[in-house]
Amino acid sequence: MSTAEPTRRVAVLGGGILGVSTAVHLLREGASVVLVTEAELASGASGRSLSWLNSAGERTTPYHQLRVCGIDRYRTLFASDPSRDWLRFDGGLHWAEAGSEQDTVARHEYEKAHAYDSVLVSPGSVDDHTPGISTDAVGEASIFNPGEGWVSLPHLIEFLMQEFTSRGGELVTNAGTARVRVEEGRAAGIDTDSAGFFPAKDVVVACGPQTPAVVAELGVEIPDASPVSMLVTTAPVDHPAKTVLNTPRAAVRPNPGNTFALDHDWYEESITQDADGTYSIPEDVVEQLADEAAKLLEGRPQLTAASWKIGRKPIPGDGEPVFGELEGVPGCFVAFTHSGATLGLIAGELLANEIVTGRRHPMLETFRPGRFA
């Protein structure tokens, strides 16, 4: 039985995974939803995310617990159709730069202490856990996390939008710059440059790195540490590697269509912003990243960059997610996090439930936007 008011109207700003997931979960709860996006769906950070599903390394306990729940929701989705080529659970492999082996061992021990599935491997034993990795590249101390996976967010968004449409959701794309309208001290809907005004009882702001700027117009400060980053997609290549790789010079994951997705941060200083606000990078730097990725794979296959996307990667100023209602603007909810892929399904579920029931979920208490006040 739905807990939502039959006439409750919610406007969601943002066509990435957090906005789409929240919109679909709101529809499941019985709300009426309009989803508004500046351009096309998945045209922002969700379209250029490595989308590694994990809770590896060291982080606060509430953040770790939320990420583990996020992975759980993906496992449920995976179990419903394990044949999907855009959602896989084949583990993650990490090693640090030479000389940092003790740090890697400490990371492994920390993960084990938190019951996170973690196996310490060496060049000689990596083949026992995952195929297709160059033993010449693997660090002397590396970590294999069997429970990790990856998702292609554009494919996931397309999948969720099928349900969005079937449940009667309203989609507005290419709406241009948007802002939250406030009337009598409460969120009243979304104003857009190109598509007009969309009245609503509640508003969700989930527009990636633009989120802090949108709420700043409401007098709310959310510190922003979003850097400029790049995701490269290779041309198709026949190779057995399955795991996500997180290494000193390249991060690599399989991608639908026998391609690979690549990213890292060492080349960020090579990215420049053009006069029209778009970003560019020398093509030889892109080729260098592809070469670094090829070194990680058995047989060192030729990796050719077929395309690359550059833009800001959403990261809150303190590194922790920001979820929940703005204290100074009732009816306006925010979803802003670096871990948009891992938290995409669970965050949408918990936020939607908060909106329609008015009950704050305890797992989001640490991440309220009011902590910055």
Side-chain angles (χ1 to χ4, degrees):
M1 181 177 294
S2 172
T3 54
E5 302 170 21
T7 57
R8 192 182 198 95
R9 180 70 163 171
V10 183
V12 179
L13 178 59
I17 184 54
L18 290 173
V20 170
S21 173
T22 304
V24 169
H25 281 95
L26 283 164
L27 289 166
R28 291 178 184 176
E29 293 274 4
S32 170
V33 179
V34 57
L35 176 63
V36 181
T37 182
E38 180 181 23
E40 297 293 334
L41 292 169
S43 60
S46 290
R48 40 184 164 75
S49 169
L50 189 69
S51 310
W52 170 29
L53 306 178
N54 78 95
S55 189
E58 186 173 346
R59 52 181 46 84
T60 63
T61 297
Y63 194 10
H64 173 69
Q65 291 174 338
L66 188 62
R67 289 174 73 114
V68 169
C69 289
I71 295 170
D72 172 76
R73 295 303 189 270
Y74 278 105
R75 288 195 173 280
T76 300
L77 179 60
F78 176 77
S80 68
D81 184 0
S83 68
R84 293 188 176 108
D85 67 351
W86 48 264
L87 174 62
R88 307 301 303 170
F89 280 96
D90 295 304
L93 182 63
H94 160 79
W95 66 86
E97 59 187 11
S100 301
E101 288 79 12
Q102 288 304 311
D103 293 337
T104 300
V105 172
R107 172 173 170 153
H108 163 70
E109 292 175 348
Y110 178 90
E111 291 176 351
K112 293 291 286 185
H114 290 76
Y116 192 71
D117 200 353
S118 181
V119 181
L120 204 59
V121 300
S122 67
S125 64
V126 67
D127 285 343
D128 297 336
H129 301 278
T130 187
I133 309 303
S134 171
T135 55
D136 292 335
V138 174
E140 288 301 317
S142 302
I143 297 172
F144 182 66
N145 300 114
E148 296 178 351
W150 61 270
V151 63
S152 169
L153 289 181
H155 287 81
L156 174 59
I157 287 171
E158 181 181 5
F159 171 78
L160 291 175
M161 287 304 296
Q162 294 175 12
E163 180 178 352
F164 178 89
T165 300
S166 68
R167 290 183 178 273
E170 178 186 353
L171 173 64
V172 181
T173 59
N174 298 301
T177 303
R179 62 204 62 83
V180 179
R181 181 184 293 190
V182 177
E183 296 177 355
E184 299 180 354
R186 196 182 195 285
I190 295 174
D191 276 309
T192 70
D193 285 348
S194 303
F197 173 61
F198 299 92
K201 182 178 178 63
D202 300 284
V203 173
V204 179
V205 180
C207 46
Q210 286 77 39
T211 298
V214 172
V215 301
E217 295 183 2
L218 307 176
V220 176
E221 179 185 2
I222 296 179
D224 182 19
S226 302
V228 178
S229 65
M230 174 178 67
L231 185 78
V232 174
T233 302
T234 72
V237 57
D238 186 16
H239 197 274
K242 296 180 178 180
T243 191
V244 180
L245 297 170
N246 178 18
T247 79
R249 292 289 292 176
V252 183
R253 71 157 165 84
N255 196 53
N258 291 323
T259 63
F260 287 99
L262 321 174
D263 84 350
H264 213 273
D265 59 8
W266 55 260
Y267 50 75
E268 289 179 359
E269 292 184 357
S270 299
I271 298 174
T272 57
Q273 186 171 17
D274 301 325
D276 61 359
T278 60
Y279 297 94
S280 59
I281 191 170
E283 191 166 341
D284 64 325
V285 177
V286 178
E287 293 172 354
Q288 186 178 352
L289 175 62
D291 288 343
E292 294 286 358
K295 295 175 185 176
L296 307 177
L297 304 179
E298 187 178 57
R300 194 167 178 173
Q302 178 67 43
L303 294 184
T304 303
S307 65
W308 53 93
K309 298 178 179 179
I310 306 174
R312 296 177 66 220
K313 178 189 298 184
I315 300 181
D318 63 358
E320 295 276 295
V322 185
F323 293 128
E325 190 172 19
L326 300 180
E327 293 180 356
V329 189
C332 184
F333 294 76
V334 170
F336 177 46
T337 180
H338 173 43
S339 48
T342 301
L343 299 184
L345 297 180
I346 189 65
E349 174 188 329
L350 300 186
L351 274 177
N353 187 258
E354 285 199 351
I355 292 167
V356 299
T357 67
R359 296 192 297 268
R360 291 159 64 109
H361 197 283
M363 290 195 75
L364 298 184
E365 282 307 306
T366 303
F367 311 116
R368 302 292 175 190
R371 71 180 186 267
F372 300 114

